[in-house]
Amino acid sequence: MRLANKHLIITGAARGIGFAIASKCVREGATVGICDLSPEAVDRACAQLEAAGGRAIPLPADVTDDVAVRQMVHVAHERFGRIDGLVNNAGITKDAQLRNMSDEQWRQVIDVNLTGVFQCTRAVADMLCAQGSGAIVSISSVVGLYGNFGQTNYAAAKAGVIGMTMTWAKELGRKNVRANAVCPGFINTSILGTIPEQVLARLRAMVPMNRLGEPEEVANAVAFLLSDEASFINGVALEVSGGIAI
Ligand code: NAP
């Protein structure tokens, strides 16, 4: 099992891609802290993982609240004794074309998708550096690489995640703490629920494989980057998109 004895925090892990990442990580031997907004959803996710034979602890927190984030990391450290990795997965969309985008839509997406990633990573960085090992994987998006119609806020945040990742790869790499990003294409989760079917059909047609991705396909890449098999991979933005941009 490639993540045996690893203790991980995964944000936005109560459902969607985050839950798929948590499921994959426990199957690979990790203990996972499930961070998400709703305490009930967090408890349900932990119960599901435990029922499948995994080890999971609830860490309900809003990643935009720095006090809550620090407390969440403190609880994880108390319960686990150490933290080996962080997956910054929590994310939202509030789409509108540039000319119609409100300050509120801009701010909400930047707060969760950019500031949340910054705050969670800052909260674990000292611990990881002090122990001289660790892996941070942040979920960006192909939208952070290529932009997307109606997603000025989301593209800015996801491009920012790639910039932060490369910066952390340089700053923390000296302490044997690796930072990488994963850039999913369009993945079959409820975040796509607001996209009309004809637009989804166009998105599928852009992919050489002519389909959306599945959360488990993103989870496989994340688990690899968290593992010691990726011990010399630092500062990459790995596309998991079926080749959407080629
Ligand atoms: P999802 O199904 O909507 O799940 C996101 C999870 O994050 C939800 O459980 C949500 O909680 C939680 N969350 C939202 N705001 C939070 C906050 N402030 N603090 C803590 N947790 C919060 O989304 P997904 O499709 O799995 O996406 C996961 C990540 O992949 C996101 O970063 C997304 O941008 C990225 N991504 C997704 C796709 C795709 O096509 N699905 C493509 C590229 C990148 P609530 O349910 O309570 O809101």
Side-chain angles (χ1 to χ4, degrees), residues 19-60:
F19 184 73
I21 293 169
S23 304
K24 172 69 178 171
C25 290
V26 298
R27 282 199 304 278
E28 293 289 350
T31 306
V32 294
I34 302 296
C35 170
D36 211 299
L37 277 180
S38 151
E40 296 76 27
V42 165
D43 285 344
R44 272 198 303 277
C46 288
Q48 248 179 290
L49 294 168
E50 299 257 340
R55 286 165 297 158
I57 67 162
L59 298 173

Side-chain angles (χ1 to χ4, degrees), residues 12 15 17 36 62-63 89 139-140 154 158 185 187 189-191:
R15 64 186 170 95
I17 293 171
D36 211 299
D62 179 343
V63 297
N89 167 79
I139 308 302
S140 175
Y154 190 80
K158 294 301 189 182
I187 308 297
T189 74
S190 58
I191 211 170

Side-chain angles (χ1 to χ4, degrees), residues 162 165-170 178-181 232-238:
I162 295 170
T165 296
M166 292 181 178
T167 300
W168 299 334
K170 292 183 177 179
R178 297 177 296 104
N180 292 294
F232 204 48
I233 300 181
N234 190 29
V236 305
L238 176 64

Side-chain angles (χ1 to χ4, degrees), residues 54-101:
R55 286 165 297 158
I57 67 162
L59 298 173
D62 179 343
V63 297
T64 69
D65 176 346
D66 193 44
V67 173
V69 164
R70 286 174 189 276
Q71 176 63 16
M72 179 271 287
V73 169
H74 175 73
V75 170
H77 193 245
E78 293 266 286
R79 293 281 303 274
F80 292 155
R82 59 181 282 127
I83 293 169
D84 299 291
L86 166 71
V87 181
N88 288 305
N89 167 79
I92 60 170
T93 54
K94 298 281 172 195
D95 295 352
Q97 289 183 49
L98 170 65
R99 290 181 294 171
N100 298 324
M101 185 168 285

Side-chain angles (χ1 to χ4, degrees), residues 22-23 29 50 68 177 182 204 237:
S23 304
E50 299 257 340
V177 176
V182 169
R204 271 193 291 271

